[in-house]
Amino acid sequence: MSFLLSRKSIVTQWMVEPAPSKNDIDFMLQAAVTAPDHGWLRPWRFIVIEGEARKKLSNLFVEALKVRNPDATTEQLEKEGSRPLLAPLVIVVCSVMTDEKPGVPQNERVLSAGAAAQNILLAAHERDYGAIWLTGNAAYDPTVKAGLGLAENMNVVGFLYIGSVEREVKERKRPDPAEYTIHWD
Ligand SMILES: Cc1cc2nc3c(=O)[nH]c(=O)nc-3n(C[C@H](O)[C@H](O)[C@H](O)COP(=O)(O)O)c2cc1C
């Protein structure tokens, strides 16, 4: 429980090399595929981007921002392209909206992909990496979707930025669950 309760997001600016090893990445993906999955639809896909490939993601973000906002300043474009380069590893978690098993509501596919993403964050934390789940406009951008090669029925659920962290990170104050809970009787 202390491991679960101590998970916290780490900003990409605090991430340093080395990237997680292949073994660590496999561990994270194994955690991902234990996500609850109504109907065994496996409604998730994972795109692992590390090393030089991050430059392609960075270029894609910049290209997409140019399309979204042709007036974007050089500074805005640089900022947009910087994040994938700060994190040693990016895992893009995608949902798959299949028509299979129409009895399973579509949004449950997204929920399952979200659970897979959370499992990756937890697995990264267990291996002492810092991680953060970000979307931003890029996650919903058609240029990014096409550039990543996603099919029409797939969507980005999040970009998980993962890397080593050298600095001390304070525990994060969490809310009192009682404020968000009722015991219904
Ligand atoms: C679906 C989703 C998308 C998110 N997108 C962003 C984002 O684009 N930018 C951001 O600053 N935080 C985003 N967050 C929040 C961070 O991942 C993180 O949860 C937040 O900074 C709080 O840190 P904590 O996880 O330690 O509580 C997102 C969270 C979720 C679940």
Side-chain angles (χ1 to χ4, degrees):
M1 272 313 275
S2 65
F3 145 71
L4 262 186
L5 296 180
S6 60
R7 185 212 64 85
K8 59 191 106 36
S9 299
I10 301 294
V11 290
T12 53
Q13 289 84 349
W14 290 3
M15 291 180 191
V16 292
E17 300 287 339
S21 65
K22 185 184 175 309
N23 183 283
D24 290 334
I25 295 172
D26 286 348
F27 174 70
M28 291 176 207
L29 296 172
Q30 268 165 18
V33 299
T34 68
D37 172 13
H38 189 175
W40 288 22
L41 291 169
R42 317 303 191 215
W44 4 259
R45 296 292 179 276
F46 311 101
I47 305 174
V48 177
I49 305 176
E50 53 184 330
E52 279 301 298
R54 293 171 309 156
K55 186 79 189 127
K56 266 168 59 185
L57 184 64
S58 163
N59 291 341
L60 184 57
F61 279 11
V62 171
E63 189 196 326
L65 178 56
K66 281 183 188 163
V67 177
R68 271 203 313 278
N69 177 12
D71 299 325
T73 62
T74 311
E75 197 185 335
Q76 285 170 323
L77 294 170
E78 272 173 14
K79 188 163 180 236
E80 187 69 7
S82 68
R83 208 173 264 135
L85 303 175
L86 289 171
L89 169 70
V90 185
I91 300 180
V92 190
V93 179
C94 307
S95 59
V96 189
M97 311 305 277
T98 54
D99 289 335
E100 200 191 337
K101 304 220 175 143
V104 178
Q106 284 293 330
N107 75 319
E108 294 188 5
R109 292 155 175 76
V110 181
L111 291 170
S112 182
Q118 172 70 0
N119 279 0
I120 293 176
L121 296 183
L122 288 171
H125 177 49
E126 202 278 338
R127 293 276 159 117
D128 277 335
Y129 291 107
I132 188 165
W133 177 345
L134 299 176
T135 48
N137 291 326
Y140 308 104
D141 189 294
T143 308
V144 173
K145 182 171 167 170
L148 288 170
L150 302 195
E152 197 47 49
N153 68 341
M154 291 169 68
N155 291 298
V156 172
V157 165
F159 296 98
L160 306 185
Y161 295 92
I162 304 168
S164 301
V165 184
E166 278 167 357
R167 67 174 74 201
E168 254 333 285
V169 182
K170 278 194 285 196
E171 290 309 310
R172 192 146 297 157
K173 190 166 164 23
R174 298 300 185 181
D176 178 352
E179 287 178 31
Y180 303 94
T181 312
I182 57 164
H183 291 271
W184 203 64
D185 53 19

